[in-house]
Amino acid sequence: MTLEKILFQPHNPKSAGKLDVEFRYIKGQKHTKEGSNKPPWLNLTNNQNGSFIFEFENYSDLQDCRDFVGKVLAKSGEVSEKPTVAHPDVQLSAAEMELRIKLLQEDSELQKLHKQFVLSGVLTEAEFWATRKKLLDREASKKIKQRLGFKSAMVSDIKPSTDGRTNKVTFNLTPEIILQIFAEKPAVHRAFLSYVPNKMSERNFWTKYFRAEYLHSTKNSIAAAAEAAEDEELAVFLKQDDILASEARKKIRRVDPTLDMEADEGDDYTHLPDHGIFRDGSKEMTESQNELYKRTLSQDINRHAAVVLEGRAVDAEFEDTKAVAEALAQSKRESSNKGEPDGDTNRERLDRLSRMTEIEDLQGSNNLPLAPLCIKDPRDYFDSQQANALRTSRDALGGTEQIKCSLSIPEVYSSLRESISSIKAMGWKEPIVKPEAAHQVFDALTNSISNTKHNIGKNPQESVLDRLPRKTKEELLHIWTSILELLKHFWASYPITTSYLYAKVNRLKDAMSNIYPQLEEIKGSVPSEFRHQVSLLVPPMHQALDAAIQHYEASMQKRSTQSGEKPNGYV
Amino acid sequence: MASAPSKLYADDVNLVVVLLDTNPFFWSSSSLSFSQSLSHVLAFFNAILTLNQLNQVVVIATGYNSCDYIFDSASDLNRSYENGRMPVMSSSLLQKLEEFLIKDEQLSKEEPDGRIKSSLFSGSLSMALCHIQRVFRSGALHPHPRILCLQGSPDGPEQYVAIMNAIFSAQRSEVPIDSCYIGAQNSAFLQQASYITGGVHHKPQNLDGLFQYLMTIFATDLHSRSFIHLPKPVGVDFRASCFCHKNTIDMGYICCVCLSIFCKQHKKCSTCGGCAGQKKRGQMCDCRLEILHLSP
């Protein structure tokens, strides 16, 4: 299977073995992680639970392909055109891709823009999302970062199901339960790691374990001692957990005496039955050899509580016991490595203290301490743009004319004061306003108000857009937002300093030229009573595009005159 | 800050703060003479005061070099200017106006030609807002305030920043700014002011009937505006002026940090002094001003 064919013909990736798969049938994809020693493989699973494995030349190609497949899958089987030969820029993590796909699914406007520009090659993914970092951050912070902890209920203390007829009992073990058992009883964990699969099968191991549990529950320490003497492996389960004991002793040593002045070796009791309290104040000599095999309920509960509070060291997404055991062992090794050097314990303790005061996974995302910018949605200002169309025509007549004043300063002031004195002397003019003038004004005003009411709507808050049929309104707004998006990228690319920007500007200009026919189409498709309003809304969009294209052409001209020799047109 | 509803009078009681343009350069070249416009405007003030017994009118003169209060209907000083020819209030207003013009003339100094002869609109707008704030904090019951601008002078681009700040604070205090523009061209600042604060902007076509315009449109109190239809402008001119030359522009450069607007590309932003060696901060990027508009 050659690489090129697959990339460029996604609908029918042809290979030497004539593999012809449409993306409709591809259900999902998996890939090998970069950095592991495995070769770069992309595994596409299809509907019938088969899978296709593609081997790539290198990881960046794998990434490109993966991105592309991800996009196609996200559009739920939509067939797209020529794939974007993506720049091998930022390598996206799976989480980042997920966020983007989620955002696209939630906001249909965004999805339309994305489809229009990114999939048709006008903008790249990176450019599209560059201005939307805040949206992505907000999505990311919504995900809960806390890990699910252990249950408070003692899951490890499971009850078997009995089959009424025979004497067999069946225990149901799930990876969760196994994880808890290993966490609470490190001796069992150690035994598992050493015995299985060398000495005995897993089934055997658990059978012995439950036998030991049964013996404990009967509180028959004599029988326990007897069985332990026979079966050495069983003895492991029946004895006190020596790993626990040594850990407890270590913890006592690490207690900060400045905080707890009373702590000493006598506090090392959690692993002893009855908390090391002796009945009747004396040791019972007869039980001494069986003491090893006793275990009390309080011990179990304390140990379970301690484990729950410690938290989950590994995420239990495992399918088999072996994996669980290994993961737990690995995490224990890591934590013990960290805690090893005794000289560092002080620093480590202080570290722990400072970490304990802040519960990181409960904190919100650390946003900027500044007040966020509130930039209004440009769509709100869409219908107010009409003024600009009228403005340009009026400006041509001399908009920036200043007041032509040939008088000097004292003269103007004195003329003003004269008017005041004249009015003071003469009183108000009778009548203040001529009836004809007033009548004419009143008529004109009422006419214009009723006209706008007719055109725009009764509600003074309503805009021109709301009067148009919904489809037209949506199309117009969509074109407007796409124009804004294109212009944003266009203007940001100037001044052109690299060939990348040059190519980008060309692409954007082509996309902008395509918008003109779209506008014409809309104008033509609108029913006649709205045609006038639509024709009022269109000119500002034309203006914006015209200005951009003018600038583009001017800069192209400048470039071609300046640098005749350089074929690439670098500045 | 808007006051609690219990502090307000009945619905239609208004406090109208009027900003009267007294720019001598404008009036000397206007088609409507100052005395004629004064008669329209003074009659209009009386009309407002008769609409409701509790209405108040405060007039601030927007001069060429300074601004000042010239009339307050709630004050008791009006009695001293008796003049048989016209109502007492009007004569006191005229007297104060004359005194203001004398002071204003004394402040004037020789200026180079070519400067746009605009009035100090930003100053009077700020004074109006301060007065309204004082009314809010007076503790007693007070009427709905609004601002009415009677302007004819052209926009002074050097006042852009101050005017925008005043407009935003009016928006925050929920004080609508109405504007009646009697000059020749269009005023972008007044249009923006009315648009943002929810007031009404109108440019009368027939200045002989100015009184009628004022009565029909600008006498409406705030409560009645929810059911009385007022003329709506076709669109708003959102142009800004650049911070460096104070020219009106519609395409320019914006500083990424403080969003100041410039007409040419600069290495360093003069408002926030950004850049400081780091490429990200203070770097300029093009943005089409027509499209973006900031709000608090």
Side-chain angles (χ1 to χ4, degrees):
Chain A
M1 308 182 198
T2 59
L3 178 59
E4 291 79 33
K5 299 229 174 96
I6 298 166
L7 255 187
F8 282 76
Q9 292 169 41
H11 314 307
N12 304 307
K14 291 217 189 296
S15 66
K18 301 271 186 309
L19 179 62
D20 186 336
V21 178
E22 302 216 4
F23 264 85
R24 259 189 289 136
Y25 298 128
I26 301 287
K27 200 171 54 157
Q29 58 166 346
K30 286 195 276 228
H31 62 98
T32 57
K33 274 198 148 45
E34 191 169 6
S36 66
N37 291 329
K38 306 199 188 129
W41 281 347
L42 182 65
N43 180 350
L44 299 174
T45 52
N46 76 359
N47 282 351
Q48 291 102 17
N49 284 330
S51 62
F52 306 102
I53 301 188
F54 300 92
E55 176 160 359
F56 289 86
E57 313 245 9
N58 52 40
Y59 269 101
S60 62
D61 290 341
L62 170 69
Q63 293 284 7
D64 295 346
C65 218
R66 192 172 58 93
D67 287 349
F68 180 68
V69 172
K71 260 185 277 186
V72 171
L73 289 178
K75 299 295 193 295
S76 37
E78 260 178 58
V79 177
S80 62
E81 313 141 21
K82 195 165 74 79
T84 52
V85 182
H87 283 258
D89 35 14
V90 184
Q91 307 239 320
L92 294 171
S93 66
E96 177 85 15
M97 278 292 294
E98 254 178 55
L99 275 181
R100 291 184 182 184
I101 291 174
K102 184 157 171 249
L103 264 181
L104 286 177
Q105 278 168 349
E106 283 176 2
D107 186 353
S108 68
E109 186 67 42
L110 201 62
Q111 189 177 39
K112 266 196 273 183
L113 275 181
H114 186 258
K115 188 162 97 168
Q116 189 179 355
F117 292 131
V118 179
L119 291 187
S120 58
V122 178
L123 293 172
T124 63
E125 276 278 344
E127 287 164 2
F128 184 78
W129 290 105
T131 46
R132 295 184 164 89
K133 283 210 185 78
K134 192 147 173 253
L135 279 178
L136 286 172
D137 282 340
R138 221 187 305 149
E139 276 299 320
S141 64
K142 276 197 219 160
K143 266 185 4 172
I144 301 176
K145 286 179 229 122
Q146 288 178 299
R147 271 204 289 219
L148 215 49
F150 285 126
K151 288 207 182 98
S152 306
M154 287 186 67
V155 178
S156 49
D157 200 10
I158 50 179
K159 291 252 172 295
S161 54
T162 47
D163 199 343
R165 285 179 280 133
T166 66
N167 263 342
K168 283 218 298 214
V169 291
T170 330
F171 289 88
N172 255 333
L173 280 177
T174 66
E176 172 79 22
I177 297 180
I178 293 178
L179 183 61
Q180 270 216 321
I181 294 178
F182 286 164
E184 286 178 24
K185 302 183 176 119
V188 173
H189 186 207
R190 185 181 56 186
F192 181 83
L193 285 175
S194 47
Y195 291 165
V196 176
N198 313 329
K199 271 212 196 161
M200 57 168 97
S201 72
E202 192 175 330
R203 201 191 160 84
N204 243 340
F205 178 83
W206 290 118
T207 320
K208 295 217 174 161
Y209 173 76
F210 285 117
R211 176 98 193 122
E213 289 292 310
Y214 170 70
L215 286 173
H216 274 303
S217 66
T218 56
K219 294 210 193 308
N220 192 345
S221 51
I222 302 168
E227 284 218 22
E230 289 174 8
D231 189 351
E232 158 195 322
E233 283 126 22
L234 198 56
V236 171
F237 299 129
L238 291 171
K239 275 199 305 218
Q240 301 286 358
D241 199 330
D242 57 336
I243 299 183
L244 262 186
S246 63
E247 271 183 16
R249 275 194 285 273
K250 262 202 236 149
K251 273 198 210 146
I252 294 293
R253 262 183 253 135
R254 286 206 302 246
V255 167
D256 186 353
T258 58
L259 286 179
D260 183 359
M261 308 223 261
E262 287 192 13
D264 65 1
E265 289 257 341
D267 290 321
D268 172 23
Y269 57 73
T270 44
H271 63 290
L272 296 173
D274 285 342
H275 291 253
I277 299 173
F278 302 117
R279 290 180 184 221
D280 301 335
S282 63
K283 245 173 147 179
E284 297 188 3
M285 299 309 284
T286 49
E287 305 268 351
S288 58
Q289 77 263 47
N290 297 333
E291 224 177 75
L292 273 181
Y293 302 102
K294 272 214 287 201
R295 212 175 66 196
T296 61
L297 183 59
S298 51
Q299 256 183 309
D300 288 340
I301 294 182
N302 283 336
R303 178 67 195 153
H304 176 78
V307 167
V308 168
L309 285 177
E310 257 170 26
R312 199 179 266 277
V314 289
D315 284 318
E317 289 278 337
F318 301 106
E319 285 123 25
D320 69 341
T321 327
K322 187 87 183 157
V324 173
E326 279 181 5
L328 201 55
Q330 171 81 358
S331 71
K332 282 242 182 84
R333 247 177 283 143
E334 281 170 7
S335 61
S336 70
N337 279 339
K338 279 193 222 141
E340 258 327 299
D342 247 338
D344 280 331
T345 42
N346 219 353
R347 202 168 32 95
E348 199 230 282
R349 217 180 300 131
L350 290 173
D351 266 314
R352 250 183 315 144
L353 274 173
S354 61
R355 266 186 286 127
M356 294 301 241
T357 45
E358 253 186 36
I359 305 180
E360 290 116 2
D361 52 359
L362 286 180
Q363 302 233 331
S365 57
N366 201 3
N367 278 327
L368 307 162
L370 315 159
L373 252 190
C374 171
I375 295 191
K376 283 206 175 273
D377 192 348
R379 284 180 280 186
D380 289 344
Y381 290 82
F382 178 57
D383 48 340
S384 315
Q385 301 278 331
Q386 296 177 57
N388 295 334
L390 302 166
R391 189 213 343 136
T392 43
S393 56
R394 249 182 269 141
D395 267 354
L397 305 169
T400 47
E401 231 174 72
Q402 295 184 26
I403 299 182
K404 298 271 192 292
C405 191
S406 48
L407 306 171
S408 72
I409 295 179
E411 281 170 356
V412 292
Y413 275 99
S414 64
S415 75
L416 212 58
R417 291 218 302 273
E418 258 169 43
S419 337
I420 299 181
S421 344
S422 75
I423 198 177
K424 273 206 318 195
M426 301 200 326
W428 289 349
K429 200 170 62 154
E430 285 290 333
I432 291 174
V433 57
K434 289 205 188 68
E436 305 84 46
H439 183 77
Q440 190 240 343
V441 164
F442 200 61
D443 261 346
L445 275 181
T446 5
N447 265 333
S448 77
I449 292 177
S450 65
N451 274 341
T452 42
K453 198 168 82 162
H454 175 74
N455 286 335
I456 294 182
K458 297 208 180 66
N459 190 346
Q461 311 303 328
E462 221 178 274
S463 72
V464 174
L465 279 179
D466 294 330
R467 300 272 293 168
L468 300 172
R470 199 172 57 89
K471 183 161 124 20
T472 320
K473 175 179 167 194
E474 281 175 8
E475 279 176 16
L476 276 176
L477 274 181
H478 177 69
I479 290 190
W480 179 236
T481 37
S482 17
I483 289 179
L484 285 181
E485 182 76 21
L486 285 175
L487 284 177
K488 204 162 49 166
H489 288 278
F490 179 81
W491 288 111
S493 319
Y494 276 92
I496 301 185
T497 45
T498 68
S499 62
Y500 172 68
L501 286 176
Y502 184 70
K504 180 174 169 189
V505 161
N506 281 332
R507 283 202 310 262
L508 289 171
K509 186 216 164 239
D510 292 331
M512 286 196 280
S513 331
N514 286 338
I515 297 204
Y516 287 101
Q518 285 179 17
L519 280 177
E520 295 302 314
E521 213 185 281
I522 291 192
K523 273 210 284 203
S525 69
V526 164
S528 56
E529 64 257 22
F530 299 114
R531 207 159 281 174
H532 174 68
Q533 276 129 13
V534 171
S535 62
L536 281 180
L537 293 171
V538 166
M541 299 198 257
H542 276 294
Q543 257 187 317
L545 289 175
D546 289 341
I549 293 189
Q550 247 181 352
H551 191 222
Y552 169 80
E553 282 166 5
S555 76
M556 283 298 128
Q557 257 201 342
K558 219 176 13 163
R559 172 174 305 219
S560 62
T561 52
Q562 266 181 1
S563 53
E565 324 85 59
K566 295 190 193 156
N568 270 347
Y570 273 69
V571 165
Chain B
M1 281 179 311
S3 53
S6 59
K7 275 188 155 199
L8 298 172
Y9 284 124
D11 302 337
D12 55 349
V13 179
N14 271 193
L15 159 65
V16 187
V17 183
V18 183
L19 309 181
L20 187 60
D21 190 359
T22 58
N23 183 357
F25 295 99
F26 162 66
W27 286 114
S28 61
S29 54
S30 156
S31 53
L32 183 70
S33 79
F34 191 50
S35 49
Q36 275 180 328
S37 71
L38 267 184
S39 55
H40 288 278
V41 163
L42 289 172
F44 170 63
F45 294 160
N46 275 320
I48 293 185
L49 292 170
T50 41
L51 275 176
N52 188 310
Q53 194 174 335
L54 298 167
N55 275 346
Q56 291 175 36
V57 172
V58 174
V59 183
I60 300 177
T62 314
Y64 186 63
N65 298 310
S66 60
C67 310
D68 201 6
Y69 294 93
I70 54 176
F71 181 68
D72 185 353
S73 67
S75 89
D76 286 331
L77 300 172
N78 301 330
R79 287 276 143 206
S80 47
Y81 302 103
E82 285 282 350
N83 180 345
R85 292 226 171 247
M86 54 164 53
V88 172
M89 291 187 173
S90 310
S91 57
S92 73
L93 190 156
L94 290 173
Q95 182 66 30
K96 286 262 190 65
L97 184 56
E98 221 172 350
E99 289 165 10
F100 169 72
L101 281 174
I102 295 173
K103 272 195 294 199
D104 200 43
E105 185 178 3
Q106 283 168 351
L107 289 170
S108 57
K109 38 189 192 272
E110 268 311 315
E111 273 162 15
D113 251 344
R115 190 197 140 193
I116 297 178
K117 307 260 193 280
S118 59
S119 56
L120 283 181
F121 180 55
S122 57
S124 55
L125 192 51
S126 315
M127 283 173 78
L129 288 169
C130 289
H131 183 86
I132 289 177
Q133 277 299 319
R134 195 171 8 131
V135 167
F136 277 149
R137 286 162 217 241
S138 61
L141 288 177
H142 59 78
H144 288 275
R146 64 183 165 100
I147 299 181
L148 169 61
C149 311
L150 297 171
Q151 278 283 105
S153 318
D155 292 336
E158 69 274 7
Q159 300 176 40
Y160 173 71
V161 180
I163 292 181
M164 290 314 289
N165 286 338
I167 293 175
F168 290 139
S169 59
Q171 183 194 29
R172 213 175 233 157
S173 331
E174 296 174 12
V175 173
I177 300 182
D178 302 325
S179 46
C180 181
Y181 187 69
I182 46 188
Q185 306 108 39
N186 265 311
S187 165
F189 293 165
L190 288 179
Q191 285 180 22
Q192 289 188 41
S194 301
Y195 180 83
I196 295 174
T197 55
V200 58
H201 171 85
H202 196 78
K203 181 168 186 293
Q205 301 297 336
N206 182 356
L207 286 176
D208 289 330
L210 179 62
F211 176 72
Q212 187 60 51
Y213 282 105
L214 292 174
M215 285 308 292
T216 318
I217 306 173
F218 298 104
T220 336
D221 58 86
L222 293 180
H223 174 73
S224 315
R225 286 185 192 192
S226 51
F227 46 80
I228 292 185
H229 293 290
L230 296 175
K232 213 169 106 120
V234 167
V236 185
D237 184 354
F238 282 117
R239 283 180 304 170
S241 24
C242 72
F243 285 31
C244 44
H245 304 104
K246 316 293 182 194
N247 299 328
T248 317
I249 50 176
D250 57 358
M251 264 209 279
Y253 295 80
I254 294 188
C255 167
C256 300
V257 178
C258 64
L259 299 177
S260 334
I261 305 164
F262 300 95
C263 53
K264 285 206 286 273
Q265 197 172 26
H266 294 203
K267 284 252 179 293
K268 214 164 110 110
C269 167
S270 57
T271 320
C272 69
C275 170
Q278 288 181 17
K279 197 161 178 264
K280 286 285 168 69
R281 286 222 235 104
Q283 195 179 33
M284 299 304 198
C285 49
D286 289 43
C287 277
R288 186 114 199 256
L289 286 188
E290 221 172 329
I291 300 171
L292 284 182
H293 195 92
L294 304 172
S295 98

